[in-house]
Amino acid sequence: MIISFALLSACTDIKDSGEDALVPMLTGTIAPDTPAPSGEAVSGEFFGYRAFSFLVGEKFVSYISSNPNATCSNVVSYLNINGDPYDPVNVLQPGGCNMYIEVEGFTETGFSASDDITQSASSAIACAMGEGTFEMATFDSDDTDYFWVAPDGGPGAWWQGVPQVFSWDFSESADGHSLEISMRSYTGSFIYEEFASNPASGTVSGTVESELCEGLASTGVF
């Protein structure tokens, strides 16, 4: 799967093609400080159309997708570390960013974290930047899976990182969880390119209403 922790169309336009005219809940742009390995200046857009979460005791996980077609079921299939390669066409989005969040210490009052407070929290932001398609491929790792592939057939500008300057405020809601998120600085890299550091900036914020997704507990990531 195209996600790890530190976490189709040939076009890169993000459009809501769903019939429900979904409104994006988490929006903003992440722009790496230096160009992609190809020399192209690229960025990724957050359109948090769908979010899924699960809470066991005080351990909480959530996955936020910029693809309006994402469902609990296909997110679980995508994240499953023991499953077969899964076509991410309904989970990932060309030009878009998704986010996985995992925290410890979620109580009846919720959970709050920021960059100036040490918390038991981890996250992975993944962005398919620049031009490309999601295709089955085998790169240097000899791992055959779905990757973000550039038009020339090589690795695409797949950026992955974590927030460095941020504020989170999570709470339970009637149908799942409410996530107040604000982020503006990130550490990360284009992970197909020897993990060379490439931090990024850009304001991403919003109130995300996630729906319960019990299947997240069976992915092996949780």
Side-chain angles (χ1 to χ4, degrees), residues 80-148:
N80 188 352
I81 64 174
N82 296 313
D84 294 329
Y86 182 77
D87 187 344
V89 63
N90 289 317
V91 177
L92 305 177
Q93 184 82 330
C97 299
N98 285 7
M99 184 175 186
Y100 178 89
I101 299 170
E102 182 177 313
V103 303
E104 295 273 9
F106 196 112
T107 68
E108 66 270 7
T109 60
F111 178 91
S112 296
S114 64
D115 51 278
D116 60 351
I117 300 175
T118 300
Q119 293 281 355
S120 179
S122 60
S123 62
I125 298 171
C127 304
M129 298 183 178
E131 295 185 3
T133 54
F134 295 110
E135 300 177 13
M136 186 78 80
T138 303
F139 291 139
D140 291 342
S141 65
D142 294 327
D143 180 23
T144 300
D145 205 335
Y146 282 92
F147 291 92
W148 180 237

Side-chain angles (χ1 to χ4, degrees), residues 1 3-7 100-102 122-124 160 162 195 221:
M1 63 180 181
I3 189 170
S4 61
F5 287 89
L7 181 294
Y100 178 89
I101 299 170
E102 182 177 313
S122 60
S123 62
Q160 192 164 293
V162 297
F195 288 90
V221 177

Side-chain angles (χ1 to χ4, degrees), residues 162-185:
V162 297
Q164 186 176 33
V165 178
F166 69 97
S167 175
W168 297 343
D169 190 3
F170 305 160
S171 60
E172 293 193 72
S173 63
D175 299 317
H177 299 90
S178 182
L179 316 177
E180 294 276 355
I181 295 174
S182 177
M183 308 180 292
R184 60 186 179 87
S185 180

Side-chain angles (χ1 to χ4, degrees), residues 12 35 37 41 59 65 71 79 172 199 205 208:
T12 57
K59 189 170 185 177
S65 174
T71 65
L79 292 178
E172 293 193 72
S205 63
V208 176

Side-chain angles (χ1 to χ4, degrees), residues 71-81 86 91 213-219:
T71 65
C72 170
S73 177
N74 56 40
V75 165
V76 169
S77 295
Y78 170 65
L79 292 178
N80 188 352
I81 64 174
Y86 182 77
V91 177
C213 179
E214 294 184 2
L216 289 173
S218 66
T219 62

